[in-house]
Amino acid sequence: MPLKFDQRLKQGFVDYQPHTFSSDGLQAAVLVPLILHPEPSVLLTVRAAHLNSHPGEVSFPGGMVEAIDRSLAHTALRETFEEIGLEPARFEVIGALSTTLSKNGVLVHPFVGLAESADGAQPSPDEIAEIFTVPWSFFASQAPEMQVTHRHGIEIQIPHFHYQGKHIWGLTAMILLELINLLEGSQWPTPDFASANVPVIG
């Protein structure tokens, strides 16, 4: 009998070794919220149009590390609660994905969180314009459009997904692609930011 989605997810992270690195610059953490019911899905947000950073773009909930945070995973869960109203206790943190580097040079630490449902999720109007979910079956079966660019001294292939009028691309799509490879056994190219030139910021 095939494993259920949550079983496959947990099994995939048992021996997984993401590419991680550190920097003295600015740090952020995001949550990749996976929702089990009514079907396995990825929860995503659309950033508010008035924001200075990435307005109107699809993203994961998350933000900058603050002094009150006990860990990077705590940052991701705290920001998720602030942005979409789902309490940290709703999520089981399954594991970490590779450290990524934003185009502005911020180190982003992604964590995968599993919740039974997204009931009660509400976008904070200060930061989020919309919340939506995409069935995991879409990402498992849909080939991304890959576009090559150069950033921070390395070549990067940026994936693009289009789902019901939503454009999922950039760092969000790169993080997703690593998870797709892990769960589906695919080999889409993902950048190893550990070899990038990290800007000195912060």
Side-chain angles (χ1 to χ4, degrees):
M1 179 181 295
L3 292 176
K4 293 181 179 179
F5 178 81
D6 57 333
Q7 294 173 324
R8 284 201 297 131
L9 178 68
K10 293 175 182 179
Q11 188 176 78
F13 274 97
V14 169
D15 297 315
Y16 190 60
Q17 297 293 325
H19 298 292
T20 60
F21 64 104
S22 60
S23 165
D24 294 331
L26 295 176
Q27 312 272 324
V30 300
L31 189 72
V32 182
L34 300 179
I35 309 300
L36 284 179
H37 301 293
E39 64 178 312
S41 303
V42 181
L43 185 149
L44 293 155
T45 68
V46 178
R47 292 173 61 80
H50 63 260
L51 294 176
N52 294 326
S53 175
H54 310 291
E57 292 188 4
V58 172
S59 67
F60 292 119
M64 305 304 296
V65 174
E66 297 182 5
I68 61 170
D69 295 330
R70 299 186 299 273
S71 65
L72 290 165
H74 181 260
T75 301
L77 291 168
R78 173 183 56 76
E79 287 282 343
T80 297
F81 177 58
E82 291 176 5
E83 292 184 7
I84 63 173
L86 294 182
E87 297 89 349
R90 298 275 296 271
F91 290 96
E92 179 183 0
V93 177
I94 305 300
L97 294 170
S98 297
T99 307
T100 58
L101 191 61
S102 78
K103 61 184 177 183
N104 297 325
V106 176
L107 254 65
V108 180
H109 304 269
F111 293 88
V112 175
L114 186 65
E116 287 293 322
S117 77
D119 293 349
Q122 292 287 337
S124 168
D126 292 340
E127 300 184 73
I128 304 299
E130 183 182 351
I131 300 169
F132 67 101
T133 57
V134 181
W136 181 260
S137 57
F138 170 82
F139 294 113
S141 60
Q142 180 72 30
E145 301 172 17
M146 305 296 291
Q147 297 181 6
V148 177
T149 188
H150 289 82
R151 186 181 298 166
H152 305 307
I154 62 173
E155 182 179 285
I156 298 172
Q157 295 198 48
I158 299 180
H160 296 252
F161 294 96
H162 298 272
Y163 178 78
Q164 295 187 354
K166 299 292 194 300
H167 182 196
I168 305 162
W169 69 290
L171 211 63
T172 299
M174 283 188 271
I175 292 169
L176 263 175
L177 209 58
E178 181 181 2
L179 186 59
I180 293 167
N181 284 346
L182 177 60
L183 288 188
E184 303 302 329
S186 50
Q187 295 183 337
W188 296 109
T190 57
D192 181 1
F193 283 104
S195 60
N197 298 321
V198 182
V200 179
I201 57 174

